[in-house]
Amino acid sequence: MPAPRPVVFDDEEVFAPTEKGNRHLKSGESALSVLELQLLVLVDGIHSAGEIAKRIPEAPREAVAAAFAKLAAQKLIVSLKALGSDVDASGFSTIAVPAGFFSLAAN
């Protein structure tokens, strides 16, 4: 049986927690591994996957890549470069505000 191919992730890719991911963290119960939980806590929509991986130096790169893939597959995190993503760096969803909205509100 051939060895499984390593999961590859882009060191520059930035992930943000989804609403589901935030609920998962707040629930206090998890079937995630220790590494997966560490990543879910560290994912902030600002730091890249490579920067986060460096904060867990004891974890092999393949394990970190697999954990990122699993969290993304379970929709606990989302890549900010994903098409149609409306999650900004704070982890909050963005909305479109019509031009002039704030100037009208001030009057």
Side-chain angles (χ1 to χ4, degrees), residues 16-56:
T18 62
E19 194 60 39
K20 181 180 177 182
N22 284 326
R23 282 193 313 269
H24 187 87
L25 285 173
K26 291 176 185 175
S27 74
E29 297 179 19
S30 180
L32 297 176
S33 71
V34 171
L35 176 58
E36 292 159 355
L37 277 173
Q38 284 178 305
L39 290 177
L40 186 55
V41 168
L42 292 172
V43 163
D44 60 6
I46 297 169
H47 295 92
S48 70
E51 292 170 322
I52 291 170
K54 287 178 186 173
R55 294 180 69 186
I56 312 171

Side-chain angles (χ1 to χ4, degrees), residues 22-104:
N22 284 326
R23 282 193 313 269
H24 187 87
L25 285 173
K26 291 176 185 175
S27 74
E29 297 179 19
S30 180
L32 297 176
S33 71
V34 171
L35 176 58
E36 292 159 355
L37 277 173
Q38 284 178 305
L39 290 177
L40 186 55
V41 168
L42 292 172
V43 163
D44 60 6
I46 297 169
H47 295 92
S48 70
E51 292 170 322
I52 291 170
K54 287 178 186 173
R55 294 180 69 186
I56 312 171
E58 68 278 6
R61 182 172 176 79
E62 295 79 19
V64 172
F68 270 118
K70 180 178 177 182
L71 293 173
Q74 291 183 357
K75 300 194 184 321
L76 297 173
I77 61 173
V78 64
S79 170
L80 295 188
K81 68 181 185 181
L83 292 176
S85 175
D86 67 348
V87 178
D88 68 9
S90 68
F92 291 99
S93 294
T94 58
I95 59 170
V97 177
F101 175 80
F102 292 107
S103 61
L104 292 174

